[in-house]
């Protein structure tokens, strides 16, 4: 189902549930002295709302930064790989051809094999690491007869190291992303408490009360849905795609 349509269902569903609860509380619940409790209930609502807003903002910003970092790491990894390949082409013998073939195979491995595994939170095969190690061995074994070739060899080595670091950052980001069970417990329970608190207020008409509680519940559901979509940077509504490696295939030829 479309991610936006699913989000709309989340919002509508939460709004309907909150409206039903609000109606039942107003219709059959305890009502004596409710208006007199508005000041105290308002203070509690402000404190709980502030704490919940801080929690949600912290989680959303953290997850959004994780998605941005994953996208940047993928481009750094692909660009460094291309730079290493171009530098290796200046080395004697068939070093350049071997590195280019291994780089092309590595790009295909990342885009076609690793990316679906990242999206599914599945273990990543060691194929990519082996291909990087083979490239390192080929560059290390190449001879350099002058300063230019020595400089190109060092450049290829440095760019391969940058590729290795960016790859490790990408995989670490996939493992470390997400919201833990304790945080989800706090988000969901805090959202329920925050949604139910307006039922303690008195003085508003039934229709206005239902609009208030349903709007609040829909907003909370929307924020929780956004957190769910941002949990894995390689899946969900804001997922990072292997565009950097697709473009690298063209540059590698």
């Amino acid at each position: 189902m479309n991610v936006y349509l699913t989000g709309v269902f989340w919002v509508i569903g939460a709004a309907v549930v909150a409206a039903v609860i609000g109606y039942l509380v107003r219709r059959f619940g305890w009502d004596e002295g409710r208006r007199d409790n508005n000041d105290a209930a308002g203070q509690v609502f402000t404190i709980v709302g502030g704490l919940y807003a801080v929690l949600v903002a912290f989680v959303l910003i953290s997850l959004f930064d994780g998605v941005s970092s994953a996208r940047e790491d993928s481009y750094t990894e692909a660009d460094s790989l291309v730079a290493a390949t171009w530098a290796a082409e200046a080395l004697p013998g068939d070093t350049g051809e071997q590195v280019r073939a291994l780089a092309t195979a590595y790009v295909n491995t990342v885009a076609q094999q690793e990316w679906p595994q990242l999206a599914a939170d599945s273990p990543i095969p060691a194929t990519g690491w082996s291909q990087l190690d083979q490239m390192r061995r080929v560059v290390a074994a190449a001879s350099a007869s002058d300063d230019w070739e020595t400089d190109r060899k060092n450049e290829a080595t440095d760019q391969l190291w940058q590729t290795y670091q960016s790859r490790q950052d990408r995989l670490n980001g996939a493992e470390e992303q997400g919201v833990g069970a304790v945080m989800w417990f706090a988000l969901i329970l805090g959202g329920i408490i925050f949604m139910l608190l307006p039922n303690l207020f008195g003085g508003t008409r039934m229709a206005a009360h239902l609009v208030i509680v349903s709007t609040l519940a829909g907003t909370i559901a929307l924020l929780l849905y956004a957190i769910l979509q941002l949990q894995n940077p390689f899946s969900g509504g804001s997922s990072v795609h292997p565009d950097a490696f697709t473009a690298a295939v063209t540059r590698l030829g």
Side-chain angles (χ1 to χ4, degrees):
M1 184 180 293
N2 183 277
V3 62
Y4 301 107
L5 187 59
T6 303
V8 170
F9 284 147
W10 272 54
V11 172
I12 293 176
V16 170
V17 171
V20 171
I21 293 175
Y23 174 80
L24 293 176
V25 170
R26 277 298 182 89
R27 183 69 176 81
F28 303 104
W30 167 70
D31 190 53
E32 182 180 355
R34 183 179 303 184
R35 295 186 181 183
D36 298 332
N37 292 330
N38 280 354
D39 290 340
Q43 293 177 5
V44 174
F45 182 80
T46 300
I47 295 173
V48 173
L51 292 174
Y52 191 72
V54 170
L55 177 63
V56 171
F58 173 79
V59 174
L60 280 174
I61 292 173
S62 176
L63 293 178
F64 184 78
D65 288 344
V67 173
S68 299
S69 296
R71 183 175 291 105
E72 292 175 3
D73 289 337
S74 68
Y75 276 94
T76 301
E77 182 181 354
D79 292 343
S80 299
L81 183 69
V82 173
T85 303
W86 289 351
E89 289 180 344
L91 299 177
D94 61 348
T95 300
E97 295 179 1
Q98 292 184 54
V99 172
R100 179 177 291 274
L102 288 169
T104 302
Y106 176 79
V107 167
N108 290 328
T109 296
V110 172
Q112 299 175 12
Q113 298 181 23
E114 291 186 359
W115 226 264
Q117 297 295 102
L118 290 172
D121 285 328
S122 300
I124 302 301
T127 307
W129 292 117
S130 299
Q131 291 166 337
L132 277 182
D133 186 57
Q134 292 178 41
M135 280 186 274
R136 180 189 63 81
R137 293 175 183 272
V138 170
V139 172
S143 59
S145 58
D146 54 33
D147 292 341
W148 166 251
E149 290 181 351
T150 300
D151 179 70
R152 293 296 85 197
K153 182 176 180 178
N154 291 335
E155 177 66 15
T157 302
D158 292 341
Q159 292 296 340
L160 283 176
W161 175 244
Q162 181 62 58
T163 303
Y164 175 90
Q165 288 183 310
S166 298
R167 172 183 172 81
Q168 188 65 64
D169 291 340
R170 172 170 58 86
L171 297 181
N172 288 343
E175 294 178 358
E176 296 171 359
Q177 278 290 87
V179 179
V182 174
M183 189 63 72
W184 269 119
F185 176 78
L187 287 169
I188 294 174
L189 184 59
I192 293 174
I193 295 173
F194 189 37
M195 179 191 69
L196 293 178
L197 278 175
N199 291 307
L200 296 176
F201 290 95
T204 58
R205 294 179 178 273
M206 175 69 78
H209 176 71
L210 297 184
V211 170
I212 292 172
V213 296
S214 61
T215 301
L216 181 59
T219 302
I220 294 173
L222 182 62
L223 294 173
L224 293 179
Y225 182 71
I227 292 173
L228 180 65
Q229 292 299 313
L230 290 170
Q231 275 203 114
N232 185 345
F234 302 98
S235 66
S238 60
S239 59
V240 178
H241 300 287
D243 297 336
F245 296 93
T246 304
V249 171
T250 303
R251 287 181 285 173
L252 291 171

